[in-house]
Structure formats: C-alpha cells, structure tokens
Amino acid sequence: MNDIYALLEENNLSRTPCRVEILKTLSRADSALSESEIRDQLAYSYDRTTVYRTLRSFLSQNVIHSISLEGGEVRYAMTPGKDKPHNSHHVHFYCNNCNGVFCISHKPFETPVLPKGFQPENFDLLVHGKCKNCTT
Ligand SMILES: [Zn+2]
Ligand SMILES: [Zn+2]
C-alpha cells in the first residue's frame, strides 16, 4: 500500500480512490489485465470514463504500460523498475492456451541495432507459447 502511495507521489498524481485501486489491482495481478478485467476487480465501481482516464494518465507517466495484441485488444501491467528506464524494455509472453499475457520483466532484452536515421521510441517483443500454468 505504501508503495502505491509513494508511486503516486513520485509521479505528482494525487491519491484518488480510483487511482489507488487500479494500482492495487495491477500490482497484485500475476498477468497483464484488460480494461474490463481491471474494472471487474475494483472494489467500487467507477464509470468507464474515470477508469479510462486514470489508465491514460498512468500510461503517460509510464507508471503502467500497455501490451497490444492482435485484433486490437490491449492489456495493462505495472511498469517494472520505473527508476531504471533501461529495465522497462522487456519481453512479453502470450499464452496461446489461456490467453494470458505476462511481463517477463527480469529479463530485459538488448535494444536492437537499427540503421542510421531510425529512432526507436518503444519496443514490442511478444513471445507466443504456453505459460507456466498451462505447461504443468
Ligand atoms: Zn496459459
Ligand atoms: Zn510488461
């Protein structure tokens, strides 16, 4: 809980119940969540716009990050090691069996070497397969 308050403070975000709850939900989830999964897990119901706006403000501060899947579905997860920006480039894993999306955040990957003139802004590396829950 104190971590969440500290995170909000570091990002100059005031402590609103919706912000606190969304961060609580995302930090206890073991996989990335869709917007509707997040809404389902909130103790109080906030209207869609409030949840959407809260997610946008977290995204713009890189408190959370999004993972875009085929077909336009988006999942959200906490950004690991926010204080260490090089750690935020990490592999995502998509489970073909349960559709779960996982941040493999302890394994940051090397930034690809790009030709002169190409300026990278974000990296998306999605590995498809079977997650640990589905292989056991
Ligand atoms: Zn799975
Ligand atoms: Zn991630």
Side-chain angles (χ1 to χ4, degrees):
M1 212 47 184
N2 288 332
D3 291 356
I4 287 170
Y5 293 160
L7 194 58
L8 287 171
E9 221 159 275
E10 276 163 31
N11 289 282
N12 298 314
L13 294 164
S14 60
R15 208 188 280 179
T16 69
C18 185
R19 284 176 182 158
V20 171
E21 269 220 72
I22 289 180
L23 290 183
K24 254 204 284 184
T25 303
L26 286 173
S27 48
R28 70 172 172 233
D30 68 339
S31 62
L33 302 175
S34 69
E35 201 180 318
S36 67
E37 283 171 328
I38 294 170
R39 274 207 312 271
D40 286 349
Q41 291 187 33
L42 300 176
Y44 298 94
S45 51
Y46 300 94
D47 63 78
R48 289 173 89 103
T49 319
T50 308
V51 173
Y52 178 82
R53 286 208 189 120
T54 306
L55 290 174
R56 291 289 117 192
S57 72
F58 287 155
L59 282 174
S60 71
Q61 307 256 42
N62 199 27
V63 173
I64 66 170
H65 60 291
S66 61
I67 304 114
S68 304
L69 303 176
E70 277 170 46
E73 205 197 317
V74 181
R75 305 276 176 92
Y76 301 91
M78 300 296 289
T79 299
K82 205 193 165 278
D83 46 330
K84 303 170 219 101
H86 61 277
N87 266 358
S88 61
H89 301 143
H90 56 269
V91 172
H92 288 116
F93 189 93
Y94 176 81
C95 179
N96 292 327
N97 193 52
C98 67
N99 302 320
V101 174
F102 303 85
C103 286
I104 314 292
S105 53
H106 57 286
K107 286 250 187 257
F109 61 91
E110 290 289 318
T111 307
V113 181
L114 298 169
K116 223 179 160 203
F118 288 82
Q119 196 171 17
E121 284 175 350
N122 61 291
F123 302 90
D124 240 340
L125 182 55
L126 189 61
V127 180
H128 294 244
K130 267 188 193 155
C131 77
K132 62 181 190 314
N133 305 321
C134 294
T135 48
T136 48

